Structures are given as C-alpha cells and as structure tokens.
Amino acid sequence: MPHDENQPAGDRSATAAEEGLRRSAAFLIDEALGFVFPAALRAAADTGVADALANGPATPAELAATTGTDARNLYRVLRLLATRNVVAEDEHGRFTLTETGQALRSDVPYSARNAVRMLTDRTFWLPAERMAHCLTEGTTAFDGVFGIPFFDHFARDEETAAVFHVGMAAMSDPENAVIAAAYDFPETGTVVDVGGGHGGLLLEVLRRNPGLEGVLYDRAHVLAGHRLDGDKEIAGRWSTAEGDFFAAVPAGDVHLLKRITHDWDDDQCVTLLSHCRRVVHPGGRILVLDAVVPRDNAPHQAKTLDLMMMASLTGRERTEADFAELLGRAGLRLSRILPTPTVLSVVEAVSV
C-alpha cells in the first residue's frame, strides 16, 4: 500500500498493524461462519437432493418438486454447496452433482450420506457448541446437554443409535478394503474384530486372507445389523459373539480395534487392551486402527475428530507417544505403526 514519505515512521507502523488486525478479524469472522456449510450439507443429505440429481441437471424448482422442499430456500442451500464443488450451477440456473458430490447419493458404493447425517447429528452438534465447558471443567460437554453419558444415551434412544451405527458403517466402508490390504495378516488363525459393528472390516480381512477365520464381537443390538451372511467368499469362516469388551473379549491370533480406543479415556482403554493381551494367542498381534495425530501445525482430520471426541465422549485422538504409553500400561509394546491410504494407521502391539 502506498504511503506518505513524510508520514512519521511510528504512524506508518500503526497503520500497518491496524491493517493486519483488519485482515485477522475478516479471517476469523469467515471461519466462525464455517459451521453453516456442514448444516447445508446435512440439509441436502436429509432431503435426498443428491439422489434427485442422479439423472442429470435440474433447476431448483424441479428439484423442489421431487424432494418436497421449498424451491427458493433449496436454491440458497445449493448455491453454498456449489462454493465447495459439491454441486455446480450452469448459466441456465440448473444444478449438476459434481464428481466430488457423488457420494452424497444413497444408491452408490461408499455412499457418505449416512456418515454426513451422523457427523452432523445433534449428539455431536450440540455438545460442540459448549466446547468451552470442556476447557473450564476438564470434562465432556455431552452429559450436561443430554443428562447422561454418550453411550448410555444411545442405549436409551434406539433412533439415535441407528443413526450412529449406520453412519459409522458408511464412514468405515471406504476405508476397510485398503486397511485390510495395508497389513500382512498371518496365513492361518483367528481374527477377532472387537467392537466390530456391522462387520465391514472383518469381511474385507477374510476376503483377502482365505486361510483365516473371524469372530465379530459386539453388543447384541449392533450385531443384529451385521453384513457377513450374504458373502460366499467367507462362508463357514466366521461367527459372531455377543458381549461387553470392558468385561472380556474372545481369544484369537489377531485382535482388531478399529475406531474404538478414541472413544474412551486412558483407563478404559487400558482395561480393554489388557483383556486383549490376556487372550491373544502366543505370537499374536493386537492392531489398534485409529488416527495417529502428527506433531505439526498442518491440517489433519485427526485434529478435528479429537475435538469432536472431547465434546461428546471421554476419549481422544492420540499421538505415537500417547499410544506407546497407553499400550505400555496394558502390558503391551508398540512394535510399529503402518500408515494406510486413509486417515487411520495400523498401530501394531505385541505382549511384553
């Protein structure tokens, strides 16, 4: 910016500082508005807009007639989604679903629609608004919002539980095959998927390793939705087991814990990991499949997920040092960390 050479240096310095503060204010205000985009994304997911666009471009009026929405307000949502390339508007006012937005459809492999609905559900949204409580009190904000802990709320509210479990499956499905391929499983033995939900990861592990058998271990109401039945490739090589992993886990050669430890505090994780250590067969492995938070200033999904955990649950995302300490408390040793093409890594542990 040009300046008056006759202007005192102190005044020029003050002007530069003020300009820097104006830029800072503009940036922070823009970032504070960032919550509106996931709200718009959820609105589109809830109303099935992406499915309505599956057959090609359409105007807001045409989409509104298909989805039962208000055309003017739908346009406003689509206009914001277009700024992130989820949809694109042409010169005739028609919208097209972009390549980036395809997974918002419900009828495609790896659909993210249910994952979007889960991640923007009130069980995560409302506690996030009270994040300052986590800082001042050192506890989750969830209990104060809903009156009971996260998983107790799910046990009491079947509709919310269904959103969570279906959403977790949708979030996991794009990851499972590449994670299963990232680790060199033994040729024979039993793989126990601890808290394995609907079995998507175990399904991929068994498909890739025909000499292995598998056990899907979870609560009864979760196992009711498992997907292992219909796959001929793994027929006769799997079973389910009902239980509470804080009480016990089935024995096996490899124990999988995918997106489990980040839900729980350190003491709870030590209890769970200790159960695994006690029943893993000699020479076996315990694989913690979670994000490993990098120690730098770069963006990373784990840093975002960590604050979601802080607001709604008692757990957290962990660094390599955190995992080493946690495993050590459970009588295990961190033997290696294998990155995968996803945000998750394979944290391999063995008995000490």
Side-chain angles (χ1 to χ4, degrees), residues 258-320:
K258 182 174 184 241
R259 295 191 185 273
I260 301 296
T261 59
H262 77 161
D263 287 342
W264 307 99
D265 66 34
D266 287 358
D267 290 341
Q268 292 168 311
C269 287
V270 168
T271 297
L272 168 56
L273 291 165
S274 296
H275 289 325
C276 295
R277 175 183 55 79
R278 282 192 286 270
V279 297
V280 70
H281 295 160
R285 298 287 186 271
I286 296 165
L287 306 183
V288 177
L289 308 170
D290 256 326
V292 178
V293 184
R295 297 295 299 269
D296 57 30
N297 295 324
H300 195 281
Q301 189 185 96
K303 298 174 184 179
T304 304
L305 289 173
D306 185 47
L307 295 193
M308 190 174 77
M309 296 296 107
M310 182 177 74
S312 290
L313 293 118
T314 60
R316 61 191 176 106
E317 305 298 336
R318 294 176 171 88
T319 64
E320 180 176 352

Short mmCIF file of all heavy atoms in Angstrom, two decimals, residues 258-320:
data_model
loop_
_atom_site.label_atom_id
_atom_site.label_comp_id
_atom_site.label_asym_id
_atom_site.label_seq_id
_atom_site.Cartn_x
_atom_site.Cartn_y
_atom_site.Cartn_z
N LYS A 258 -10.90 -51.14 15.59
CA LYS A 258 -10.99 -50.03 14.64
C LYS A 258 -11.92 -48.94 15.16
O LYS A 258 -13.08 -49.19 15.46
CB LYS A 258 -11.50 -50.53 13.28
CG LYS A 258 -11.57 -49.41 12.24
CD LYS A 258 -11.94 -49.94 10.87
CE LYS A 258 -11.90 -48.79 9.86
NZ LYS A 258 -13.18 -48.55 9.24
N ARG A 259 -11.36 -47.73 15.29
CA ARG A 259 -12.09 -46.58 15.81
C ARG A 259 -12.76 -46.92 17.14
O ARG A 259 -13.91 -46.56 17.39
CB ARG A 259 -13.13 -46.09 14.79
CG ARG A 259 -12.54 -45.53 13.50
CD ARG A 259 -13.61 -44.82 12.69
NE ARG A 259 -13.13 -44.37 11.39
CZ ARG A 259 -12.54 -43.20 11.16
NH1 ARG A 259 -12.33 -42.37 12.16
NH2 ARG A 259 -12.17 -42.85 9.93
N ILE A 260 -12.04 -47.62 18.00
CA ILE A 260 -12.55 -47.98 19.32
C ILE A 260 -11.85 -47.18 20.40
O ILE A 260 -12.49 -46.52 21.23
CB ILE A 260 -12.38 -49.49 19.60
CG1 ILE A 260 -13.12 -50.33 18.55
CG2 ILE A 260 -12.86 -49.83 21.01
CD1 ILE A 260 -14.61 -50.16 18.56
N THR A 261 -10.51 -47.21 20.41
CA THR A 261 -9.80 -46.58 21.52
C THR A 261 -10.02 -45.08 21.59
O THR A 261 -9.96 -44.49 22.67
CB THR A 261 -8.28 -46.88 21.45
OG1 THR A 261 -7.75 -46.39 20.21
CG2 THR A 261 -8.02 -48.37 21.56
N HIS A 262 -10.31 -44.45 20.46
CA HIS A 262 -10.50 -42.99 20.50
C HIS A 262 -11.80 -42.60 21.20
O HIS A 262 -12.00 -41.42 21.53
CB HIS A 262 -10.39 -42.37 19.10
CG HIS A 262 -11.59 -42.55 18.22
ND1 HIS A 262 -11.83 -41.76 17.13
CD2 HIS A 262 -12.62 -43.44 18.27
CE1 HIS A 262 -12.94 -42.12 16.53
NE2 HIS A 262 -13.45 -43.14 17.21
N ASP A 263 -12.69 -43.56 21.43
CA ASP A 263 -13.95 -43.26 22.11
C ASP A 263 -13.79 -43.17 23.63
O ASP A 263 -14.69 -42.64 24.30
CB ASP A 263 -14.98 -44.36 21.83
CG ASP A 263 -15.54 -44.31 20.42
OD1 ASP A 263 -15.42 -43.25 19.77
OD2 ASP A 263 -16.11 -45.32 19.98
N TRP A 264 -12.69 -43.70 24.17
CA TRP A 264 -12.61 -43.94 25.61
C TRP A 264 -11.38 -43.28 26.22
O TRP A 264 -10.36 -43.07 25.55
CB TRP A 264 -12.58 -45.46 25.87
CG TRP A 264 -13.73 -46.16 25.22
CD1 TRP A 264 -13.71 -46.86 24.04
CD2 TRP A 264 -15.08 -46.22 25.68
NE1 TRP A 264 -14.95 -47.34 23.75
CE2 TRP A 264 -15.83 -46.97 24.74
CE3 TRP A 264 -15.73 -45.71 26.81
CZ2 TRP A 264 -17.19 -47.22 24.89
CZ3 TRP A 264 -17.09 -45.96 26.96
CH2 TRP A 264 -17.80 -46.71 26.00
N ASP A 265 -11.47 -43.01 27.53
CA ASP A 265 -10.33 -42.42 28.22
C ASP A 265 -9.23 -43.46 28.43
O ASP A 265 -9.41 -44.65 28.15
CB ASP A 265 -10.76 -41.76 29.54
CG ASP A 265 -11.26 -42.75 30.59
OD1 ASP A 265 -10.76 -43.89 30.65
OD2 ASP A 265 -12.16 -42.37 31.38
N ASP A 266 -8.08 -43.02 28.91
CA ASP A 266 -6.91 -43.90 29.00
C ASP A 266 -7.16 -45.11 29.90
O ASP A 266 -6.79 -46.23 29.55
CB ASP A 266 -5.71 -43.11 29.51
CG ASP A 266 -5.15 -42.15 28.46
OD1 ASP A 266 -5.67 -42.13 27.33
OD2 ASP A 266 -4.19 -41.43 28.77
N ASP A 267 -7.78 -44.90 31.05
CA ASP A 267 -8.01 -46.02 31.97
C ASP A 267 -8.93 -47.06 31.35
O ASP A 267 -8.70 -48.27 31.48
CB ASP A 267 -8.62 -45.51 33.28
CG ASP A 267 -7.64 -44.72 34.12
OD1 ASP A 267 -6.41 -44.84 33.88
OD2 ASP A 267 -8.08 -43.98 35.01
N GLN A 268 -9.98 -46.61 30.66
CA GLN A 268 -10.88 -47.55 30.00
C GLN A 268 -10.16 -48.31 28.89
O GLN A 268 -10.37 -49.52 28.71
CB GLN A 268 -12.09 -46.81 29.45
CG GLN A 268 -13.01 -46.26 30.52
CD GLN A 268 -14.04 -45.29 29.96
OE1 GLN A 268 -13.70 -44.37 29.21
NE2 GLN A 268 -15.30 -45.49 30.30
N CYS A 269 -9.31 -47.61 28.14
CA CYS A 269 -8.55 -48.27 27.07
C CYS A 269 -7.58 -49.30 27.64
O CYS A 269 -7.40 -50.38 27.05
CB CYS A 269 -7.79 -47.24 26.25
SG CYS A 269 -8.83 -46.24 25.17
N VAL A 270 -6.97 -48.99 28.77
CA VAL A 270 -6.05 -49.95 29.40
C VAL A 270 -6.81 -51.21 29.79
O VAL A 270 -6.32 -52.34 29.59
CB VAL A 270 -5.36 -49.31 30.61
CG1 VAL A 270 -4.63 -50.37 31.44
CG2 VAL A 270 -4.38 -48.24 30.16
N THR A 271 -8.01 -51.07 30.31
CA THR A 271 -8.84 -52.24 30.65
C THR A 271 -9.11 -53.08 29.41
O THR A 271 -8.91 -54.31 29.42
CB THR A 271 -10.17 -51.79 31.27
OG1 THR A 271 -9.91 -51.10 32.49
CG2 THR A 271 -11.08 -52.97 31.55
N LEU A 272 -9.53 -52.44 28.34
CA LEU A 272 -9.84 -53.16 27.10
C LEU A 272 -8.60 -53.83 26.53
O LEU A 272 -8.62 -55.02 26.16
CB LEU A 272 -10.44 -52.18 26.09
CG LEU A 272 -10.58 -52.65 24.65
CD1 LEU A 272 -11.39 -53.92 24.56
CD2 LEU A 272 -11.20 -51.54 23.80
N LEU A 273 -7.52 -53.10 26.43
CA LEU A 273 -6.30 -53.65 25.85
C LEU A 273 -5.73 -54.77 26.72
O LEU A 273 -5.16 -55.74 26.19
CB LEU A 273 -5.27 -52.54 25.68
CG LEU A 273 -5.61 -51.50 24.60
CD1 LEU A 273 -4.72 -50.26 24.75
CD2 LEU A 273 -5.46 -52.10 23.20
N SER A 274 -5.90 -54.67 28.02
CA SER A 274 -5.44 -55.74 28.92
C SER A 274 -6.23 -57.02 28.69
O SER A 274 -5.68 -58.13 28.73
CB SER A 274 -5.57 -55.30 30.38
OG SER A 274 -4.73 -54.19 30.65
N HIS A 275 -7.54 -56.88 28.45
CA HIS A 275 -8.34 -58.06 28.11
C HIS A 275 -7.80 -58.72 26.85
O HIS A 275 -7.70 -59.96 26.76
CB HIS A 275 -9.80 -57.67 27.90
CG HIS A 275 -10.53 -57.28 29.15
ND1 HIS A 275 -10.30 -57.86 30.38
CD2 HIS A 275 -11.51 -56.35 29.34
CE1 HIS A 275 -11.09 -57.32 31.29
NE2 HIS A 275 -11.84 -56.39 30.69
N CYS A 276 -7.48 -57.92 25.85
CA CYS A 276 -6.95 -58.47 24.59
C CYS A 276 -5.61 -59.16 24.84
O CYS A 276 -5.36 -60.25 24.31
CB CYS A 276 -6.79 -57.36 23.56
SG CYS A 276 -8.34 -56.60 23.02
N ARG A 277 -4.74 -58.53 25.62
CA ARG A 277 -3.42 -59.13 25.89
C ARG A 277 -3.55 -60.49 26.56
O ARG A 277 -2.81 -61.42 26.24
CB ARG A 277 -2.60 -58.19 26.77
CG ARG A 277 -1.24 -58.77 27.21
CD ARG A 277 -0.49 -57.86 28.14
NE ARG A 277 -1.27 -57.49 29.31
CZ ARG A 277 -1.46 -58.28 30.38
NH1 ARG A 277 -0.96 -59.50 30.40
NH2 ARG A 277 -2.18 -57.84 31.40
N ARG A 278 -4.49 -60.62 27.47
CA ARG A 278 -4.63 -61.87 28.22
C ARG A 278 -5.10 -63.03 27.35
O ARG A 278 -4.80 -64.19 27.66
CB ARG A 278 -5.59 -61.67 29.40
CG ARG A 278 -4.95 -60.94 30.58
CD ARG A 278 -5.82 -61.03 31.82
NE ARG A 278 -6.98 -60.15 31.73
CZ ARG A 278 -6.99 -58.90 32.16
NH1 ARG A 278 -5.89 -58.37 32.69
NH2 ARG A 278 -8.08 -58.17 32.06
N VAL A 279 -5.84 -62.75 26.28
CA VAL A 279 -6.41 -63.86 25.50
C VAL A 279 -5.79 -63.99 24.11
O VAL A 279 -6.14 -64.94 23.38
CB VAL A 279 -7.94 -63.70 25.36
CG1 VAL A 279 -8.61 -63.75 26.73
CG2 VAL A 279 -8.31 -62.43 24.61
N VAL A 280 -4.90 -63.09 23.71
CA VAL A 280 -4.27 -63.23 22.41
C VAL A 280 -3.34 -64.43 22.44
O VAL A 280 -2.63 -64.66 23.42
CB VAL A 280 -3.52 -61.95 22.00
CG1 VAL A 280 -2.27 -61.71 22.83
CG2 VAL A 280 -3.18 -61.97 20.51
N HIS A 281 -3.37 -65.23 21.40
CA HIS A 281 -2.54 -66.44 21.35
C HIS A 281 -1.06 -66.07 21.29
O HIS A 281 -0.70 -64.99 20.83
CB HIS A 281 -2.93 -67.28 20.13
CG HIS A 281 -4.32 -67.83 20.21
ND1 HIS A 281 -5.01 -68.27 19.10
CD2 HIS A 281 -5.17 -68.00 21.26
CE1 HIS A 281 -6.21 -68.70 19.46
NE2 HIS A 281 -6.33 -68.54 20.76
N PRO A 282 -0.19 -66.96 21.76
CA PRO A 282 1.26 -66.68 21.71
C PRO A 282 1.70 -66.27 20.31
O PRO A 282 1.33 -66.90 19.31
CB PRO A 282 1.88 -68.02 22.13
CG PRO A 282 0.84 -68.66 23.00
CD PRO A 282 -0.48 -68.27 22.39
N GLY A 283 2.46 -65.20 20.25
CA GLY A 283 2.92 -64.70 18.95
C GLY A 283 1.88 -63.86 18.23
O GLY A 283 2.13 -63.42 17.09
N GLY A 284 0.73 -63.63 18.86
CA GLY A 284 -0.34 -62.88 18.22
C GLY A 284 -0.11 -61.38 18.23
O GLY A 284 0.87 -60.87 18.79
N ARG A 285 -1.01 -60.67 17.60
CA ARG A 285 -0.90 -59.23 17.46
C ARG A 285 -2.23 -58.56 17.83
O ARG A 285 -3.30 -59.10 17.60
CB ARG A 285 -0.55 -58.85 16.01
CG ARG A 285 0.79 -59.38 15.53
CD ARG A 285 1.94 -58.62 16.19
NE ARG A 285 3.24 -58.99 15.66
CZ ARG A 285 4.00 -59.97 16.13
NH1 ARG A 285 3.56 -60.72 17.14
NH2 ARG A 285 5.18 -60.21 15.60
N ILE A 286 -2.12 -57.37 18.40
CA ILE A 286 -3.28 -56.51 18.65
C ILE A 286 -3.11 -55.29 17.76
O ILE A 286 -2.10 -54.59 17.85
CB ILE A 286 -3.38 -56.13 20.13
CG1 ILE A 286 -3.61 -57.39 20.97
CG2 ILE A 286 -4.50 -55.12 20.36
CD1 ILE A 286 -3.38 -57.19 22.44
N LEU A 287 -4.09 -55.04 16.90
CA LEU A 287 -4.00 -53.95 15.93
C LEU A 287 -5.00 -52.87 16.29
O LEU A 287 -6.22 -53.07 16.21
CB LEU A 287 -4.27 -54.46 14.51
CG LEU A 287 -3.43 -55.65 14.03
CD1 LEU A 287 -3.78 -55.98 12.57
CD2 LEU A 287 -1.94 -55.37 14.18
N VAL A 288 -4.49 -51.73 16.72
CA VAL A 288 -5.32 -50.57 17.00
C VAL A 288 -5.38 -49.73 15.73
O VAL A 288 -4.36 -49.22 15.27
CB VAL A 288 -4.75 -49.74 18.17
CG1 VAL A 288 -5.60 -48.51 18.41
CG2 VAL A 288 -4.69 -50.60 19.43
N LEU A 289 -6.57 -49.62 15.17
CA LEU A 289 -6.75 -48.92 13.90
C LEU A 289 -7.42 -47.59 14.19
O LEU A 289 -8.63 -47.48 14.32
CB LEU A 289 -7.60 -49.76 12.95
CG LEU A 289 -7.10 -51.20 12.76
CD1 LEU A 289 -8.11 -52.03 12.00
CD2 LEU A 289 -5.76 -51.21 12.05
N ASP A 290 -6.59 -46.59 14.36
CA ASP A 290 -7.05 -45.25 14.70
C ASP A 290 -6.14 -44.24 14.04
O ASP A 290 -5.06 -44.58 13.57
CB ASP A 290 -7.04 -45.04 16.22
CG ASP A 290 -8.43 -45.12 16.84
OD1 ASP A 290 -9.40 -44.70 16.18
OD2 ASP A 290 -8.55 -45.61 17.98
N ALA A 291 -6.57 -43.00 14.05
CA ALA A 291 -5.71 -41.93 13.56
C ALA A 291 -4.56 -41.72 14.54
O ALA A 291 -4.71 -41.90 15.74
CB ALA A 291 -6.51 -40.64 13.42
N VAL A 292 -3.40 -41.38 14.01
CA VAL A 292 -2.25 -41.01 14.82
C VAL A 292 -2.00 -39.53 14.56
O VAL A 292 -1.66 -39.13 13.44
CB VAL A 292 -1.01 -41.85 14.47
CG1 VAL A 292 0.19 -41.40 15.29
CG2 VAL A 292 -1.28 -43.34 14.70
N VAL A 293 -2.16 -38.72 15.58
CA VAL A 293 -2.09 -37.27 15.40
C VAL A 293 -0.64 -36.85 15.15
O VAL A 293 0.24 -37.14 15.96
CB VAL A 293 -2.62 -36.53 16.64
CG1 VAL A 293 -2.64 -35.02 16.38
CG2 VAL A 293 -4.02 -37.02 17.01
N PRO A 294 -0.36 -36.17 14.04
CA PRO A 294 1.01 -35.71 13.78
C PRO A 294 1.37 -34.52 14.66
O PRO A 294 0.50 -33.73 15.04
CB PRO A 294 0.97 -35.31 12.30
CG PRO A 294 -0.46 -34.97 12.04
CD PRO A 294 -1.27 -35.85 12.94
N ARG A 295 2.64 -34.41 14.98
CA ARG A 295 3.11 -33.30 15.82
C ARG A 295 3.59 -32.16 14.93
O ARG A 295 4.79 -31.90 14.80
CB ARG A 295 4.24 -33.79 16.74
CG ARG A 295 3.81 -34.88 17.72
CD ARG A 295 2.79 -34.37 18.72
NE ARG A 295 3.33 -33.30 19.53
CZ ARG A 295 3.94 -33.50 20.70
NH1 ARG A 295 4.08 -34.71 21.19
NH2 ARG A 295 4.40 -32.47 21.38
N ASP A 296 2.65 -31.49 14.28
CA ASP A 296 2.99 -30.35 13.45
C ASP A 296 1.78 -29.43 13.38
O ASP A 296 0.76 -29.69 14.01
CB ASP A 296 3.44 -30.79 12.04
CG ASP A 296 2.39 -31.62 11.31
OD1 ASP A 296 1.17 -31.42 11.57
OD2 ASP A 296 2.76 -32.46 10.48
N ASN A 297 1.90 -28.36 12.62
CA ASN A 297 0.81 -27.39 12.52
C ASN A 297 -0.06 -27.60 11.29
O ASN A 297 -0.96 -26.79 11.03
CB ASN A 297 1.39 -25.97 12.48
CG ASN A 297 2.09 -25.60 13.77
OD1 ASN A 297 1.68 -25.98 14.85
ND2 ASN A 297 3.18 -24.85 13.66
N ALA A 298 0.19 -28.66 10.54
CA ALA A 298 -0.56 -28.89 9.30
C ALA A 298 -1.97 -29.39 9.61
O ALA A 298 -2.19 -30.07 10.62
CB ALA A 298 0.18 -29.90 8.43
N PRO A 299 -2.94 -29.10 8.73
CA PRO A 299 -4.29 -29.65 8.92
C PRO A 299 -4.25 -31.17 8.89
O PRO A 299 -3.48 -31.78 8.14
CB PRO A 299 -5.06 -29.09 7.72
CG PRO A 299 -4.29 -27.92 7.24
CD PRO A 299 -2.85 -28.23 7.54
N HIS A 300 -5.08 -31.80 9.70
CA HIS A 300 -5.20 -33.25 9.73
C HIS A 300 -6.56 -33.58 10.34
O HIS A 300 -6.94 -33.01 11.36
CB HIS A 300 -4.08 -33.88 10.56
CG HIS A 300 -3.92 -35.35 10.35
ND1 HIS A 300 -4.74 -36.28 10.94
CD2 HIS A 300 -3.03 -36.06 9.61
CE1 HIS A 300 -4.36 -37.50 10.57
NE2 HIS A 300 -3.32 -37.39 9.77
N GLN A 301 -7.28 -34.51 9.70
CA GLN A 301 -8.62 -34.84 10.18
C GLN A 301 -8.62 -35.28 11.64
O GLN A 301 -9.59 -35.03 12.37
CB GLN A 301 -9.23 -35.94 9.31
CG GLN A 301 -10.70 -36.19 9.59
CD GLN A 301 -11.24 -37.36 8.80
OE1 GLN A 301 -11.31 -38.47 9.31
NE2 GLN A 301 -11.64 -37.10 7.56
N ALA A 302 -7.53 -35.90 12.09
CA ALA A 302 -7.47 -36.37 13.47
C ALA A 302 -7.59 -35.21 14.46
O ALA A 302 -8.14 -35.37 15.55
CB ALA A 302 -6.16 -37.11 13.71
N LYS A 303 -7.10 -34.05 14.08
CA LYS A 303 -7.16 -32.90 14.99
C LYS A 303 -8.60 -32.39 15.11
O LYS A 303 -8.99 -31.88 16.18
CB LYS A 303 -6.23 -31.79 14.49
CG LYS A 303 -4.77 -32.22 14.46
CD LYS A 303 -3.87 -31.16 13.82
CE LYS A 303 -2.44 -31.64 13.72
NZ LYS A 303 -1.53 -30.66 13.09
N THR A 304 -9.36 -32.53 14.05
CA THR A 304 -10.78 -32.17 14.10
C THR A 304 -11.57 -33.20 14.89
O THR A 304 -12.36 -32.87 15.77
CB THR A 304 -11.34 -32.04 12.68
OG1 THR A 304 -10.57 -31.10 11.94
CG2 THR A 304 -12.79 -31.59 12.71
N LEU A 305 -11.34 -34.47 14.57
CA LEU A 305 -12.04 -35.55 15.29
C LEU A 305 -11.75 -35.50 16.78
O LEU A 305 -12.61 -35.82 17.61
CB LEU A 305 -11.62 -36.91 14.73
CG LEU A 305 -12.12 -37.26 13.33
CD1 LEU A 305 -11.48 -38.56 12.86
CD2 LEU A 305 -13.64 -37.41 13.32
N ASP A 306 -10.54 -35.09 17.13
CA ASP A 306 -10.16 -35.04 18.54
C ASP A 306 -11.07 -34.10 19.32
O ASP A 306 -11.46 -34.40 20.46
CB ASP A 306 -8.70 -34.60 18.65
CG ASP A 306 -8.19 -34.64 20.08
OD1 ASP A 306 -8.42 -35.65 20.77
OD2 ASP A 306 -7.59 -33.65 20.52
N LEU A 307 -11.43 -32.97 18.74
CA LEU A 307 -12.30 -32.03 19.44
C LEU A 307 -13.74 -32.53 19.47
O LEU A 307 -14.48 -32.26 20.42
CB LEU A 307 -12.23 -30.65 18.80
CG LEU A 307 -10.88 -29.94 18.89
CD1 LEU A 307 -11.03 -28.47 18.50
CD2 LEU A 307 -10.26 -30.04 20.27
N MET A 308 -14.14 -33.28 18.45
CA MET A 308 -15.47 -33.90 18.49
C MET A 308 -15.54 -34.92 19.62
O MET A 308 -16.53 -34.99 20.36
CB MET A 308 -15.78 -34.57 17.16
CG MET A 308 -17.22 -35.03 17.03
SD MET A 308 -17.61 -35.66 15.38
CE MET A 308 -16.84 -37.28 15.46
N MET A 309 -14.45 -35.70 19.78
CA MET A 309 -14.38 -36.64 20.90
C MET A 309 -14.43 -35.90 22.24
O MET A 309 -15.13 -36.31 23.16
CB MET A 309 -13.09 -37.45 20.82
CG MET A 309 -12.94 -38.36 19.62
SD MET A 309 -14.18 -39.67 19.57
CE MET A 309 -15.22 -39.07 18.25
N MET A 310 -13.70 -34.82 22.33
CA MET A 310 -13.63 -34.06 23.58
C MET A 310 -15.00 -33.54 23.99
O MET A 310 -15.36 -33.57 25.17
CB MET A 310 -12.66 -32.88 23.41
CG MET A 310 -12.47 -32.06 24.67
SD MET A 310 -11.25 -30.72 24.44
CE MET A 310 -12.20 -29.57 23.45
N ALA A 311 -15.79 -33.09 23.02
CA ALA A 311 -17.09 -32.50 23.34
C ALA A 311 -18.14 -33.55 23.69
O ALA A 311 -18.98 -33.29 24.55
CB ALA A 311 -17.57 -31.65 22.16
N SER A 312 -18.09 -34.72 23.03
CA SER A 312 -19.18 -35.68 23.18
C SER A 312 -18.82 -36.94 23.95
O SER A 312 -19.71 -37.60 24.49
CB SER A 312 -19.73 -36.07 21.80
OG SER A 312 -20.43 -35.00 21.22
N LEU A 313 -17.55 -37.32 23.97
CA LEU A 313 -17.15 -38.56 24.62
C LEU A 313 -16.03 -38.30 25.63
O LEU A 313 -15.62 -37.17 25.82
CB LEU A 313 -16.72 -39.60 23.58
CG LEU A 313 -17.85 -40.10 22.67
CD1 LEU A 313 -17.56 -39.74 21.24
CD2 LEU A 313 -18.04 -41.60 22.82
N THR A 314 -15.53 -39.38 26.21
CA THR A 314 -14.42 -39.23 27.15
C THR A 314 -13.08 -39.52 26.50
O THR A 314 -12.04 -39.37 27.12
CB THR A 314 -14.59 -40.21 28.34
OG1 THR A 314 -14.62 -41.56 27.84
CG2 THR A 314 -15.89 -39.92 29.08
N GLY A 315 -13.10 -39.93 25.22
CA GLY A 315 -11.87 -40.34 24.56
C GLY A 315 -11.16 -39.20 23.87
O GLY A 315 -11.52 -38.02 24.01
N ARG A 316 -10.13 -39.57 23.08
CA ARG A 316 -9.34 -38.58 22.36
C ARG A 316 -8.56 -39.27 21.25
O ARG A 316 -8.36 -40.49 21.29
CB ARG A 316 -8.37 -37.86 23.29
CG ARG A 316 -7.35 -38.76 23.97
CD ARG A 316 -6.60 -38.03 25.07
NE ARG A 316 -5.67 -38.87 25.80
CZ ARG A 316 -4.35 -38.84 25.69
NH1 ARG A 316 -3.79 -38.02 24.83
NH2 ARG A 316 -3.58 -39.62 26.40
N GLU A 317 -8.13 -38.49 20.27
CA GLU A 317 -7.18 -38.98 19.29
C GLU A 317 -5.80 -38.90 19.94
O GLU A 317 -5.54 -38.04 20.78
CB GLU A 317 -7.24 -38.16 18.01
CG GLU A 317 -8.62 -38.07 17.38
CD GLU A 317 -9.20 -39.39 16.94
OE1 GLU A 317 -8.43 -40.35 16.70
OE2 GLU A 317 -10.44 -39.49 16.85
N ARG A 318 -4.86 -39.77 19.52
CA ARG A 318 -3.59 -39.88 20.22
C ARG A 318 -2.40 -39.79 19.26
O ARG A 318 -2.49 -40.17 18.09
CB ARG A 318 -3.53 -41.20 21.00
CG ARG A 318 -4.56 -41.26 22.13
CD ARG A 318 -4.57 -42.62 22.83
NE ARG A 318 -5.39 -42.59 24.04
CZ ARG A 318 -6.70 -42.84 24.07
NH1 ARG A 318 -7.33 -43.16 22.94
NH2 ARG A 318 -7.37 -42.78 25.21
N THR A 319 -1.29 -39.31 19.80
CA THR A 319 -0.04 -39.28 19.07
C THR A 319 0.66 -40.63 19.22
O THR A 319 0.23 -41.50 19.99
CB THR A 319 0.88 -38.18 19.63
OG1 THR A 319 1.22 -38.53 20.99
CG2 THR A 319 0.20 -36.82 19.61
N GLU A 320 1.75 -40.79 18.50
CA GLU A 320 2.54 -42.03 18.63
C GLU A 320 3.00 -42.21 20.08
O GLU A 320 2.93 -43.32 20.62
CB GLU A 320 3.74 -41.99 17.69
CG GLU A 320 4.62 -43.23 17.77
CD GLU A 320 5.75 -43.23 16.77
OE1 GLU A 320 5.77 -42.34 15.88
OE2 GLU A 320 6.62 -44.12 16.86
#
